[in-house]
Amino acid sequence: MTIQSIPLPKAFRLLNHGPVLLVSGCHNGTDNAMAAAWGCPLDYNPCRLTVVLDKLAFTRNLIEQSGRFAVQIPVQAQAELVLAMGRSSRNANPRKMDNVPLFRQAGFDVPLVAGCAAWLACRVLPEPHNQQAYDLFIGEVEAAWADDAVFRDGHWRFDEAGDDWRTLHYVSGGQFYAIGRGLDLGER
């Protein structure tokens, strides 16, 4: 993978097309990741996003304790991994992360799942009412990266990258759709 840094005012473009996400966190040396179908960009300068993290999720506790998390955008080649991350909780399966390839970017103590199309490192913007009532977390993006095989010059390049690089959209019951062909009408 060839990871490139994404300028923060353009990082919202990584999420704009509504893909399923992997959300990861770390606290006291414990890493975890989970699948999340409900996440979206919130603002672009500063770049902010939202994710819904159920109170029972092991990852949520790590995020609440550390105040940091990462959002990654998995690709079609990772569909089985995404499904496993959504179906298995580390509360019930302490070895859930044993075969998940993780890495870290310098300066950010948050695990990133290897093989994804993009990654966003976030700081939690505390909103206790929203977190308790709606399981809604707001993150301010502190850094963003993308694999240049599929995201270059501020734009997704799905049609050039091949099917394995298409991002996933979760429907339910184990069914995903991969993002379709591009339709470029140019900047207006």
Side-chain angles (χ1 to χ4, degrees):
M1 67 184 155
T2 306
I3 298 175
Q4 62 174 323
S5 182
I6 304 299
L8 292 181
K10 301 292 185 193
F12 74 94
R13 291 180 177 184
L14 299 172
L15 300 169
N16 240 13
H17 65 295
V20 70
L21 307 172
L22 291 174
V23 179
S24 58
C26 175
H27 182 65
N28 283 342
T30 300
D31 293 338
N32 201 53
M34 61 177 277
W38 296 338
C40 68
L42 178 63
D43 204 351
Y44 62 90
N45 198 10
C47 186
R48 294 184 180 129
L49 57 84
T50 62
V51 291
V52 174
L53 306 171
D54 189 271
K55 289 172 190 63
L56 299 177
F58 188 91
T59 305
R60 177 178 170 152
N61 183 51
L62 298 177
I63 292 168
E64 288 175 326
Q65 296 299 314
S66 69
R68 301 258 186 279
F69 64 97
V71 168
Q72 34 267 294
I73 302 169
V75 295
Q76 184 171 315
Q78 296 174 301
E80 288 185 26
L81 173 67
V82 173
L83 201 55
M85 293 293 99
R87 288 186 170 166
S88 175
S89 171
R90 192 154 178 185
N91 289 317
N93 178 9
R95 302 187 62 98
K96 172 184 175 180
M97 299 302 292
D98 284 359
N99 296 312
V100 178
L102 301 175
F103 70 100
R104 282 178 162 72
Q105 287 288 77
F108 298 93
D109 186 28
V110 63
L112 304 173
V113 178
C116 291
W119 307 262
L120 300 99
C122 302
R123 172 179 66 88
V124 173
L125 295 178
E127 291 285 343
H129 172 72
N130 288 339
Q131 290 168 210
Q132 287 305 309
Y134 308 113
D135 298 330
L136 182 70
F137 283 71
I138 299 173
E140 184 168 320
V141 179
E142 297 182 311
W145 308 273
D147 193 308
D148 68 1
V150 70
F151 190 91
R152 290 185 309 283
D153 304 319
H155 297 281
W156 287 107
R157 309 293 182 176
F158 297 115
D159 294 336
E160 300 167 21
D163 288 346
D164 280 352
W165 281 102
R166 293 186 182 277
T167 56
L168 299 169
H169 302 265
Y170 190 66
V171 180
S172 70
Q175 183 182 11
F176 294 91
Y177 282 93
I179 191 138
R181 284 191 16 236
L183 179 63
D184 186 357
L185 300 179
E187 301 268 339
R188 293 177 194 234

